[in-house]
Amino acid sequence: MTESLDAARPEAAEEEAEFRSVDAQIAMTLDAAVRPQPVRVAISEAQGLLCAEEVVAEHALPGFDQAAIDGYAVRSVDVRTAGQEPVQLPVVGEIAAGSRQPRRLQPGQAVRVDTGAPLPTLADAVVPLAYTDGHQAKVTVHRSVPSAGYVRRAGEDVQIGDVAVRRGDTIGSAQVGLLAAVGRAKVLVYPRPRVSIVSVGDELVDVDRTPSVGQVYDVNSYALAAAARDAGAEVSRVGIVPSDPKRLREIVEGRLLMSEIVVVAGGAGGATGDEVHAALSDLGRIDMTRVAMHPGSVQGFGRLGPDSVPTFLIPGNPMSALVVFEVLVRPLIRAARGTRNPHRRIVGARLLSPITSTEGRRGFLRGQLLRDEANGEYLVHPLGQSGAHLLASLAEANCLINVPEELTEVAAGEQVQVTFLAQRA
């Protein structure tokens, strides 16, 4: 499925069309963001999700005074002169990590302790093994230690009542560890929004088949599913759906019941786009429009089904589909996840070679973002031409060069804004 001739050659017919701005289209789609209801999951399943509660510590961390290093638990006052002349102390016992038997230290004594072992009563410091002769019955201390030296105090990391993980925080490995450390087995999270990817076109075949004359591989369902997964969605790749109106409507209607977002690739532009629009229009209003962007200006958006599920109809051209997804669908996925800023990072960069863009439309051109090691300046090298069909150059790109609507040419050496296509935005 490809864009219509008008979509590929805007100068032929789009001059008379009324364009909607990119910003207006983004605002309209973001207004449709619906965050899935929070669910409680085991902390081992929470990684990468957004926390939906304020996790208040019910236990201090550490929960008791403990040795921060292997050595000898002492009263710091008993070794205060060890830096001037060695101090000998009798060793009256040993405490291993995990010991639950309380011990009491008398003045002028030492207790051998392992890292993580609870300190005996009255001990306020640990002398590292390296500061001693390491003897087991009577230890000689060669250096003094201050009060609290080499000791992890109870609650110095987290105290009872502290917020360990905040609502809206992304739960990474450190947050999982902290949840475990404060004794939380489960946590309330926002689940990943469910996204269904549908590819429409009678000319499409799956990658495990050999295309005949006039047939092409289904690129979109794979590429867009990967893009949705990268954005943080739980993805269902429906795959190829024939353009038969009844069958298409049945499949999309079923996906609306189990998705927060539906994307139909091949549903915009040309005769097939009209057929898709007609087949789905009784599921809800679909706004078909031309957006002032290149590539991918012809597109549709609506809220379909009883739950008003945001549904995108985007071009069938894989390059255009991926750009439209990046500009419009990805921010909606991120907003549905609850991400504070759903947009990618944008930086200024100096252009290494000239570029051209379509008048009246914001260009999203492929590029490689580099860093000048000498001065830290960002540089960007344009990739390929502006043709919407050049998918290979997008695979090499790590950024999109944003060209304002009023510009048709940008010279080498000028500053441009680029969207950084990092794996983690």
Side-chain angles (χ1 to χ4, degrees):
M1 181 69 57
T2 60
E3 291 182 276
S4 68
L5 180 62
D6 287 350
R9 296 181 59 194
E11 65 278 7
E14 292 181 2
E15 292 177 353
E16 301 177 1
E18 183 177 350
F19 282 75
R20 178 179 293 150
S21 73
V22 175
D23 293 336
Q25 187 77 355
I26 292 174
M28 182 181 71
T29 56
L30 286 180
D31 281 343
V34 176
R35 180 184 292 178
Q37 289 298 309
V39 294
R40 194 168 297 278
V41 300
I43 60 174
S44 59
E45 303 298 321
Q47 187 172 2
L49 301 178
L50 265 65
C51 187
E53 64 173 321
E54 298 282 296
V55 179
V56 177
E58 299 178 357
H59 307 281
L61 180 65
F64 52 88
D65 291 347
Q66 59 183 248
I69 195 170
D70 290 355
Y72 297 86
V74 298
R75 298 192 318 154
S76 58
V77 67
D78 290 335
V79 295
R80 67 183 184 277
T81 61
Q84 302 165 12
E85 58 182 72
V87 173
Q88 285 192 329
L89 300 174
V91 180
V92 295
E94 183 174 353
I95 304 177
S99 174
R100 291 178 291 176
Q101 185 170 355
R103 298 291 298 267
R104 183 178 181 84
L105 185 70
Q106 299 296 331
Q109 295 179 339
V111 172
R112 177 75 166 80
V113 290
D114 293 339
T115 301
L119 292 190
T121 304
L122 295 186
D124 68 333
V126 173
V127 179
L129 280 176
Y131 293 1
T132 73
D133 60 5
H135 289 180
Q136 296 180 351
K138 181 175 287 187
V139 63
T140 299
V141 179
H142 300 285
R143 294 178 59 177
S144 63
V145 291
S147 180
Y150 301 99
V151 172
R152 299 175 185 148
R153 289 295 188 189
E156 73 174 25
D157 194 353
V158 177
Q159 296 185 353
I160 295 175
D162 284 352
V163 177
V165 180
R166 299 190 179 278
R167 181 184 293 109
D169 285 352
T170 299
I171 298 177
S173 55
Q175 287 73 25
V176 171
L178 186 55
L179 289 167
V182 299
R184 287 292 297 267
K186 294 186 175 182
V187 61
L188 196 67
V189 297
Y190 294 109
R192 293 178 175 86
R194 298 168 298 174
V195 176
S196 290
I197 307 292
V198 178
S199 229
V200 179
D202 295 327
E203 78 280 17
L204 300 176
V205 296
D206 210 341
V207 294
D208 59 354
R209 294 178 54 192
T210 301
S212 302
V213 176
Q215 292 184 316
V216 295
Y217 286 121
D218 168 31
V219 174
N220 283 326
S221 70
Y222 289 97
L224 296 177
R229 200 171 292 113
D230 178 67
E234 178 184 324
V235 181
S236 176
R237 190 187 68 83
V238 179
I240 304 169
V241 176
S243 56
D244 173 69
K246 183 179 178 181
R247 181 60 178 153
L248 174 63
R249 184 188 182 282
E250 288 176 351
I251 290 176
V252 172
E253 189 173 23
R255 301 315 306 180
L256 294 173
L257 300 176
M258 57 186 71
S259 307
E260 276 73 48
I261 299 170
V262 174
V263 179
V264 181
T272 302
D274 294 339
E275 294 172 359
V276 171
H277 180 223
L280 302 182
S281 58
D282 60 344
L283 298 176
R285 182 178 182 274
I286 302 176
D287 176 47
M288 298 301 297
T289 189
R290 295 185 188 275
V291 180
M293 62 181 288
H294 179 73
S297 66
V298 181
Q299 51 188 271
F301 177 76
R303 303 186 188 188
L304 306 187
D307 296 324
S308 298
V309 175
T311 302
F312 292 85
L313 306 186
I314 66 177
N317 179 283
M319 174 63 198
S320 299
L322 280 169
V323 171
V324 171
F325 188 98
E326 174 64 35
V327 175
L328 293 162
V329 186
R330 189 179 196 280
L332 181 60
I333 294 173
R334 303 293 288 174
R337 290 196 64 201
T339 306
R340 294 185 181 97
N341 180 6
H343 300 290
R344 297 265 201 185
R345 181 186 176 195
I346 295 179
V347 300
R350 182 163 57 85
L351 201 59
L352 292 179
S353 58
I355 55 176
T356 60
S357 187
T358 303
E359 183 178 2
R361 292 194 285 172
R362 186 181 303 177
F364 294 94
L365 310 182
R366 305 166 289 282
Q368 282 186 340
L369 188 64
L370 311 169
R371 198 73 179 263
D372 189 329
E373 295 183 358
N375 56 20
E377 179 186 19
Y378 282 113
L379 309 172
V380 62
H381 173 61
L383 294 173
Q385 303 299 316
S386 59
H389 61 287
L390 299 175
L391 185 62
S393 61
L394 183 61
E396 299 177 6
N398 65 357
C399 72
L400 290 177
I401 305 169
N402 304 329
V403 184
E405 292 84 345
E406 65 274 13
L407 296 182
T408 59
E409 297 181 357
V410 184
E414 293 192 19
Q415 283 285 315
V416 291
Q417 297 292 301
V418 301
T419 301
F420 186 38
L421 302 179
Q423 285 288 349
R424 293 297 176 192

